[in-house]
Amino acid sequence: MKSILTLAAAGLLIASCASSTDPTPAPDAPGESLAQCKADRYQQYIGRNRSELPAKPADANWRVVCSTCAMTMDFHEERMNVVYDQNTNVITRVFCG
């Protein structure tokens, strides 16, 4: 009986140490702010057609890319990324980087 309780306690200890993984990705990288690239001003376009985006301001650094298209992974905190679904043209994410 004592060995069963010891095994159960060990199992609980191991389970409590295991890190939980959230299947949904965080909207921003740690420490990243949507204000850095003014993406906070464009969050209302999520769920809308990409044709509804206003014209890019002359001094803005934007990248509009489909969710299945290749894009470079270089990080620029001042660049706003707009991701849309290739099949529907609906914007799914707006973030800095």
Side-chain angles (χ1 to χ4, degrees):
M1 178 71 167
K2 187 175 181 180
S3 62
I4 293 174
L5 291 176
T6 304
L7 287 173
L12 287 174
L13 181 63
I14 291 170
S16 67
C17 292
S19 64
S20 64
T21 56
D22 185 2
T24 57
D28 304 316
E32 182 183 338
S33 168
L34 294 176
Q36 289 174 313
C37 65
K38 301 179 183 164
D40 54 344
R41 299 178 187 177
Y42 295 89
Q43 294 302 300
Q44 73 267 16
Y45 291 97
I46 295 174
R48 295 166 65 180
N49 193 290
R50 73 179 178 133
S51 65
E52 296 181 42
L53 277 173
K56 181 177 95 169
D59 62 340
N61 185 0
W62 285 14
R63 174 167 60 178
V64 180
V65 64
C66 76
S67 56
T68 57
C69 297
M71 72 175 171
T72 61
M73 297 305 292
D74 57 328
F75 181 82
H76 296 284
E77 64 186 27
E78 71 283 349
R79 176 177 56 206
M80 182 175 74
N81 295 285
V82 179
V83 181
Y84 66 92
D85 182 273
Q86 185 176 13
N87 296 324
T88 63
N89 282 329
V90 172
I91 297 170
T92 58
R93 188 171 179 214
V94 179
F95 64 101
C96 298

